[in-house]
Amino acid sequence: MTRRREGATSELTLIERARRTQLIEVTIELVADRGYAGASLAAIAERAGITKAAVLYHFPTKAAVVRAAHEHALAALVADVAAAVEAAAPANRPAAYVRSMVGHLREHPRHTRMIIEAMVHDDGEHDPAARWGPLAQLIDAARLARGASGDIDPRTTAIIVGGGIDAIVAEQLHDPDYDTATAAEHLVDMLETTISR
Amino acid sequence: MTRRREGATSELTLIERARRTQLIEVTIELVADRGYAGASLAAIAERAGITKAAVLYHFPTKAAVVRAAHEHALAALVADVAAAVEAAAPANRPAAYVRSMVGHLREHPRHTRMIIEAMVHDDGEHDPAARWGPLAQLIDAARLARGASGDIDPRTTAIIVGGGIDAIVAEQLHDPDYDTATAAEHLVDMLETTISR
DNA sequence: CACACTCCTAACCGATCGGTAGATTTTTCG
DNA sequence: CGAAAAATCTACCGATCGGTTAGGAGTGTG
């Protein structure tokens, strides 16, 4: 059956932990380098220096490996952004969101490609609101804190800004010299102008 | 050899033209429905009602079919946007670009997914500047026409707005009821504010 | 020593991939 | 009508896909 035993994650062997971590890392690398299609079971195994069967000893299916890799990259991003946002005053949180998002993705380009690939290829149910929802809430709260009264739609603003973040990050993927920090400030300016009305 | 004869496109048989058109259409549909990975030669052939060999009689490789489908979708988009842009006064062209882009993609959702898939999966050389370059030029020209003097970076503005367009269109793909026209106006507002400084 | 458990390899499985070869049907045209 | 050309089908190819099976090396542990 080649089954993994059940039980808490903390009960995993040292080797088990190390392998899982390694497999997640090489999968992220592979997806970043050659896209989803290039991340075959054989390719993952080869880059990890083991056989396909060994990979499937630590994960039930290939999909589980990719899912774990995606969740790993996403969790790091969310943790980073959440920390930055919570450290800021409500009125400044949308800006903090943009800056930390761009910053994190700049520092982790591989994670970035992994996340992008997963977003495009999420054949299956995945709530798109999960992407812009949090930002929309931050915008709402910031407008409340500032007493802004214009009739903007937080959802649309969040969608647009989210797209802008993606585009800035994608540009840096093609041109490593692109100044994403300045671009982020540019985007923050546009956002601030919009939500302060 | 199963080779196609050389010669101008206009010298193609009626059947040849019809098949090529049909194959391009079903490929766009297939990519839109099931992504790049789902657009296999067998799937394309089946949906067209012929065999794999027949598909490869009209196109040299599967990659050529996909490429043709992509170029078809892209050409329609470019033609549409170019017409709308040229019909506007220089000062209004960035706004015309945004509106026509969102409008075209709303009216051709299948083309949209085809183009998005191709962008993400363009394993190979593809100049990213081709995407935001034209908009950056329109922004530059509009600022000149208006006598704006702020120190904005047209490239970054174009990248951000381009990302916003993508995000609006992507949102509509998930939620067909999303009001992209209003969202486009929202984006136009942000853009106008930025470039008028 | 013997048994159990963890971790792994070699070999194989059926399915599907893109593509090819050759026979065969359909269309075109003198 | 009859032959050439165009269009298509059947059948196959090697490669690769994700996944399975059986077994064995290494490490304790009774």
Side-chain angles (χ1 to χ4, degrees), chain B residues 113-182:
Chain B
R113 278 222 44 180
M114 171 89 239
I115 292 170
I116 289 179
E117 287 277 351
M119 283 197 341
V120 174
H121 261 233
D122 75 341
D123 304 310
E125 317 308 314
H126 189 269
D127 194 2
R131 174 125 174 63
W132 49 261
L135 176 55
Q137 287 184 351
L138 295 181
I139 290 172
D140 238 2
R143 285 172 57 76
L144 196 69
R146 298 178 188 192
S149 57
D151 60 338
I152 75 152
D153 174 19
R155 177 187 178 189
T156 292
T157 306
I159 289 170
I160 291 172
V161 171
I165 292 170
D166 291 350
I168 290 171
V169 170
E171 178 67 15
Q172 194 225 7
L173 246 40
H174 290 286
D175 175 10
D177 293 336
Y178 183 59
D179 185 354
T180 57
T182 300

Side-chain angles (χ1 to χ4, degrees), chain B residues 78-130:
Chain B
V78 169
D80 217 2
V81 173
V85 164
E86 281 160 21
N92 302 327
R93 284 181 173 173
Y97 178 97
V98 172
R99 292 193 182 100
S100 65
M101 199 93 167
V102 172
H104 179 94
L105 294 176
R106 171 181 52 236
E107 286 160 34
H108 302 79
R110 285 160 203 278
H111 288 53
T112 301
R113 278 222 44 180
M114 171 89 239
I115 292 170
I116 289 179
E117 287 277 351
M119 283 197 341
V120 174
H121 261 233
D122 75 341
D123 304 310
E125 317 308 314
H126 189 269
D127 194 2

Side-chain angles (χ1 to χ4, degrees), chain A residues 86-143:
Chain A
E86 281 161 22
N92 301 326
R93 284 180 175 174
Y97 178 98
V98 172
R99 291 193 182 100
S100 65
M101 200 95 166
V102 172
H104 180 93
L105 294 176
R106 171 181 53 237
E107 286 160 35
H108 303 78
R110 285 159 203 278
H111 288 54
T112 301
R113 278 222 46 182
M114 172 88 241
I115 292 171
I116 289 179
E117 287 275 350
M119 282 197 341
V120 173
H121 258 257
D122 75 342
D123 304 309
E125 317 309 316
H126 190 269
D127 194 1
R131 173 121 175 67
W132 51 260
L135 177 54
Q137 288 184 350
L138 295 182
I139 290 173
D140 238 3
R143 284 171 58 75

Side-chain angles (χ1 to χ4, degrees), chain A residues 178-190:
Chain A
Y178 182 60
D179 184 354
T180 57
T182 300
E185 290 311 312
H186 197 122
L187 179 54
V188 166
D189 279 353
M190 293 177 69

